[in-house]
Amino acid sequence: WEKALELFGELREEKSGLEPDVVVYSALISACENGGQWEKALELFGELREEKSGLEPDVVVYSALISACENGGQWEKALEL
């Protein structure tokens, strides 16, 4: 998960014109899920919803986020989604 976040940071810093999409966020949230980082997964979800490009979370994003919360013992947060 740490390497995924590092690459994400590089993507956002570069002037390449590339913008993260829903697939990128889904992969990041899944990486956080696998790394037991439910708080970071929620943070990324918040960023996704705040993106000015009009991105909307899809079922894959929600599934990964719910799993991350579940794995972290945060079932209440999962229910809030």
Side-chain angles (χ1 to χ4, degrees):
W1 68 272
E2 291 173 334
K3 185 63 173 177
L5 291 176
E6 179 184 325
L7 292 171
F8 179 65
E10 290 175 14
L11 172 71
R12 297 184 95 181
E13 290 175 4
E14 290 182 9
K15 305 275 190 250
S16 64
L18 297 174
E19 294 291 325
D21 60 10
V22 174
V23 175
V24 170
Y25 277 99
S26 176
L28 286 168
I29 291 170
S30 290
C32 290
E33 169 197 352
N34 292 328
Q37 301 297 314
W38 64 270
E39 291 172 307
K40 188 63 179 176
L42 282 172
E43 181 182 322
L44 289 165
F45 180 73
E47 287 180 26
L48 167 61
R49 297 198 62 185
E50 292 175 3
E51 283 291 320
K52 295 176 178 32
S53 61
L55 298 176
E56 290 291 327
D58 62 10
V59 68
V60 178
V61 170
Y62 278 106
S63 177
L65 186 57
I66 289 168
S67 292
C69 290
E70 175 192 9
N71 292 344
Q74 301 298 315
W75 60 269
E76 299 94 348
K77 296 215 182 283
L79 290 176
E80 292 174 12
L81 300 171

